């Protein structure tokens, strides 16, 4: 067995440089003969048991430009009477996801494979505490109320 590790800690900021390394000459040499790749960017499901990822959500980047008046407008005179770019942007963002975390973009859920009964059965023995998870997130209110 030939195990090779690449440890990189910039996943939250786009992993700058990782793609260039892996696809470049040094990366190709390092990865030569590799049959499988395992990406592990996980939160342990409990304090005692690690997990192995077999599916990721990924990242998508977009550029949005909101165009408004050519100059700053005095809110006492113009506020509430003309479209304001920041208000329009907040409206767009607020329409993307509902309060339960459901993405509201028409048809996007059709692109997601449903969880199978076999996968649900795999979740049952997982040692996971929603209370502990919420505490680790700084006491944040979580969207879902079920442990699995």
């Amino acid at each position: 067995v030939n195990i090779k590790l690449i440890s990189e800690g910039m996943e939250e900021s786009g992993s700058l440089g990782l793609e260039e390394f892996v696809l470049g000459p040094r990366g190709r040499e390092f990865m030569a003969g590799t049959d499988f790749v395992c990406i592990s960017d996980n939160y342990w499901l409990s304090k005692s048991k690690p997990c192995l990822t077999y599916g990721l959500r990924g990242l998508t980047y977009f550029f949005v430009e909101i165009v408004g008046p050519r100059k700053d407008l005095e809110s006492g005179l113009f506020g509430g009477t003309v479209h304001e770019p920041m208000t329009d942007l907040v409206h767009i963002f607020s329409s993307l996801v509902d309060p339960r975390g459901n993405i509201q973009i028409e048809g996007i859920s059709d692109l997601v494979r449903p969880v199978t009964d076999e996968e649900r059965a795999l979740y049952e023995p997982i040692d996971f505490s929603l209370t502990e998870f919420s505490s680790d997130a700084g006491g944040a209110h979580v969207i879902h109320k079920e442990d699995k």
Side-chain angles (χ1 to χ4, degrees):
V1 175
N2 183 11
I3 297 176
K4 298 177 181 180
L5 300 174
I6 297 176
S7 181
E8 173 287 316
M10 295 181 59
E11 67 277 358
E12 301 302 328
S13 57
S15 297
L16 300 176
L18 180 62
E19 182 177 9
E20 290 81 9
F21 168 75
V22 171
L23 297 177
R26 290 179 61 209
R28 284 196 309 271
E29 180 182 337
F30 179 77
M31 299 297 287
T34 301
D35 295 315
F36 300 97
V37 174
C38 175
I39 298 171
S40 181
D41 177 21
N42 302 318
Y43 183 86
W44 284 28
L45 296 177
S46 70
K47 301 288 186 188
S48 61
K49 187 183 285 186
C51 63
L52 180 64
T53 299
Y54 68 94
L56 297 170
R57 288 177 278 214
L59 297 172
T60 302
Y61 296 93
F62 296 92
F63 175 81
V64 177
E65 183 175 352
I66 305 292
V67 178
R70 291 186 309 269
K71 62 180 182 174
D72 278 344
L73 300 176
E74 211 298 312
S75 61
L77 178 61
F78 294 101
T81 62
V82 297
H83 286 282
E84 299 178 45
M86 183 59 72
T87 305
D88 293 344
L89 187 59
V90 168
H91 174 72
I92 290 169
F93 285 158
S94 71
S95 70
L96 296 177
V97 180
D98 74 13
R100 298 285 303 146
N102 300 306
I103 299 172
Q104 298 299 296
I105 300 170
E106 187 176 330
I108 200 162
S109 294
D110 299 334
L111 302 174
V112 178
R113 185 177 53 87
V115 177
T116 66
D117 291 337
E118 292 81 15
E119 288 171 322
R120 287 188 197 286
L122 290 171
Y123 299 155
E124 286 308 313
I126 291 176
D127 179 23
F128 176 79
S129 164
L130 189 60
T131 303
E132 191 175 280
F133 181 80
S134 179
S135 175
D136 287 347
H141 295 281
V142 293
I143 294 173
H144 305 284
K145 304 300 180 200
E146 306 84 32
D147 272 354
K148 296 179 180 76

